[in-house]
Amino acid sequence: MSRHRIAVIAGDGIGQEVMPAAIDCLDLLADLHGLDFDWHHLDWGSDYYRAHGRMLPVDGLDVLAEHDAIFLGAVGVPDIPDVETLWGLLIPIRRRFEQYINLRPVKTLPGVRSPLADSGPIDLVVVRENNEGEYSEIGGRMNRGLAEELAVQESVFTRRGVERVARYAARLAAGRNGRLTSATKSNGIVHTMPFWDEVVREVLADFTDVELRSELIDALAASLVLHPGRYDVIVASNLFGDILSDLAGAITGSIGSAPSANLNPERRHPSMFEPVHGSAPDIAGQGVANPIGQIWSGAMMLDALGHPAAAGHLVAAFEATLAQGVRTRDLGGDASTTAFAETVRRNIEEQYGEHAGTGDGSES
Ligand code: NAI
Ligand code: MG
């Protein structure tokens, strides 16, 4: 029996709806695969902020450090500035736990139509640098409210930071199709982006089996819409990766289905798994949110915890659910969040024969 202590932050809005749906599926999988999840629910988020003036307790990061992984829903509400929710919770977690890889797989799902007329199958991974780059605290504002008002924000790129994300992406590409695209803008951003290009090229010299292409971010965005099938692994800075992964998620159908992992690849600290979408205040409380992004993030968590067979079982079960025509509203169906999750659970049980006996539970 493999036991994992997981910190759960369901957070705000639809986070409160998709999280229980995913946990129900994971608990059933755990029973079948000889795993044991010890869920530690933390009521951090915007309600906590209203009561305490901060998104998480003073010792919150120390509490998280005691866990094998962090499973997050979404944070953000209309009446609290997003900068508080993001910099008060998500970014401190990503930085303190050196989750420098943000992995965002993007894949065509059964029966889910792409908004592109003729996209063909899409199966790619965006590897976003998650600790530095354009998301920096260095800078400031002056002359507030005056005609001379100005704002400066510095981007920060370090050799260590670029090397490690490039290396991770290259390894991933080597295990897939051997094609790596690096997002750049070295024609307009004349210091950091040429540096990014140089370091990525240096790292890739060690990977003779990986073909590297550098593409300017604007052309890459257009090309991703026109020819998504050409891409396999895309490595990008924090900002470019954020934008590209939303775009890539959207062209496969719905942002509600897109998962992500914030990884500390050395496993010195817990990694964090969360859907790409936010708290969706426009549909919160209606029971119609698509739980796939959360469930799929749960599969990425299983994988990272050393249970690839259980992860594959979970992905197969939600894909089967879609293939059976059970879909939430954003995917053109009328299933509720709980009805969708119920069908995933039924498929987990039905597919058990195909995914059993893999020895997952005892392998770690
Ligand atoms: P959003 O992702 O919450 O919503 C964008 C659109 O997609 C909305 O129309 C929403 O209804 C729809 N949508 C999103 N997830 C869905 C799902 N699972 N099923 C069905 N439809 C879904 O992004 P938005 O509106 O820009 O942000 C809302 C709040 O969420 C903001 O406070 C923002 O800061 C926060 N946010 C938090 C994130 C996080 O916790 N990691 C990530 C992105 C936004
Ligand atoms: Mg985003």
Side-chain angles (χ1 to χ4, degrees):
M1 175 80 67
S2 194
R3 193 147 200 265
H4 298 292
R5 191 164 151 75
I6 313 289
V8 178
I9 308 172
D12 303 321
I14 61 167
Q16 294 289 340
E17 301 166 45
V18 293
M19 181 60 84
I23 285 185
D24 281 352
C25 296
L26 286 163
D27 275 337
L28 175 59
L29 269 172
D31 285 349
L32 297 174
H33 288 264
L35 313 175
D36 184 10
F37 286 116
D38 178 7
W39 306 109
H40 184 194
H41 293 272
L42 301 160
D43 64 349
W44 305 345
S46 296
D47 286 341
Y48 190 93
Y49 181 90
R50 287 193 195 91
H52 301 96
R54 41 187 303 136
M55 292 294 287
L56 75 181
V58 179
D59 66 346
L61 294 176
D62 297 331
V63 171
L64 292 177
E66 308 281 293
H67 295 79
D68 298 323
I70 304 161
F71 201 30
L72 182 101
V75 288
V77 286
D79 60 308
I80 298 177
D82 282 342
V83 64
E84 296 285 346
T85 47
L86 195 64
W87 284 90
L89 185 90
L90 282 179
I91 291 184
I93 294 174
R94 289 173 178 165
R95 297 207 170 161
R96 157 79 181 267
F97 299 126
E98 278 192 89
Q99 296 167 349
Y100 61 85
I101 299 294
N102 190 329
L103 206 56
R104 298 184 165 190
V106 173
K107 209 168 85 170
T108 314
L109 295 172
V112 177
R113 287 227 342 245
S114 164
L116 305 180
D118 184 22
S119 79
I122 302 170
D123 183 1
L124 59 89
V125 184
V126 178
V127 179
R128 166 187 174 192
E129 201 293 320
N130 212 26
N131 277 177
E132 55 178 44
E134 304 86 348
Y135 289 52
S136 124
E137 289 150 282
I138 301 176
R141 279 173 73 168
M142 280 170 61
N143 300 331
R144 282 183 190 246
L146 304 181
E148 300 74 30
E149 182 164 2
L150 67 90
V152 174
Q153 181 147 12
E154 305 282 2
S155 291
V156 176
F157 287 79
T158 65
R159 176 169 288 281
R160 175 168 173 264
V162 181
E163 272 177 5
R164 63 188 185 180
V165 71
R167 193 168 302 281
Y168 186 94
R171 284 206 188 104
L172 186 64
R176 289 171 54 105
N177 284 329
R179 278 183 289 128
L180 178 64
T181 306
S182 165
T184 185
K185 189 65 192 174
S186 40
N187 56 347
I189 311 287
V190 297
H191 300 301
T192 53
M193 279 296 139
F195 176 66
W196 167 277
D197 291 351
E198 266 168 52
V199 177
V200 170
R201 245 193 328 266
E202 281 169 31
V203 168
L204 265 289
D206 293 343
F207 293 84
T208 46
D209 48 345
V210 177
E211 180 204 338
L212 172 70
R213 280 176 63 92
S214 258
E215 294 188 20
L216 296 171
I217 183 69
D218 42 354
L220 172 53
S223 171
L224 202 51
V225 171
L226 294 171
H227 315 289
R230 285 188 193 163
Y231 293 90
D232 184 30
V233 178
I234 302 175
V235 64
S237 64
N238 210 331
L239 175 65
F240 291 172
D242 190 15
I243 299 170
L244 280 182
S245 54
D246 272 38
L247 187 158
I251 58 176
T252 58
S254 167
I255 186 167
S257 307
S260 80
N262 300 270
L263 298 176
N264 173 246
E266 293 76 23
R267 297 166 190 262
R268 269 200 300 272
H269 310 285
S271 293
M272 174 165 67
F273 303 85
E274 52 163 341
V276 168
H277 65 74
S279 56
D282 54 335
I283 58 162
Q286 299 176 19
V288 298
N290 175 358
I292 295 177
Q294 190 77 56
I295 293 173
W296 195 349
S297 301
M300 295 180 82
M301 180 166 75
L302 282 169
D303 209 18
L305 291 170
H307 308 296
H313 187 177
L314 183 51
V315 171
F318 77 69
E319 287 188 338
T321 304
L322 290 169
Q324 288 154 7
V326 178
R327 285 177 214 140
T328 45
R329 198 168 70 190
D330 55 313
L331 300 178
D334 59 4
S336 67
T337 309
T338 46
F340 187 91
E342 222 13 81
T343 313
V344 176
R345 281 168 58 91
R346 213 161 35 238
N347 283 319
I348 290 172
E349 273 171 346
E350 272 167 24
Q351 295 177 338
Y352 179 54
E354 298 154 46
H355 296 271
T358 52
D360 240 21
S362 52
E363 78 193 12
S364 67

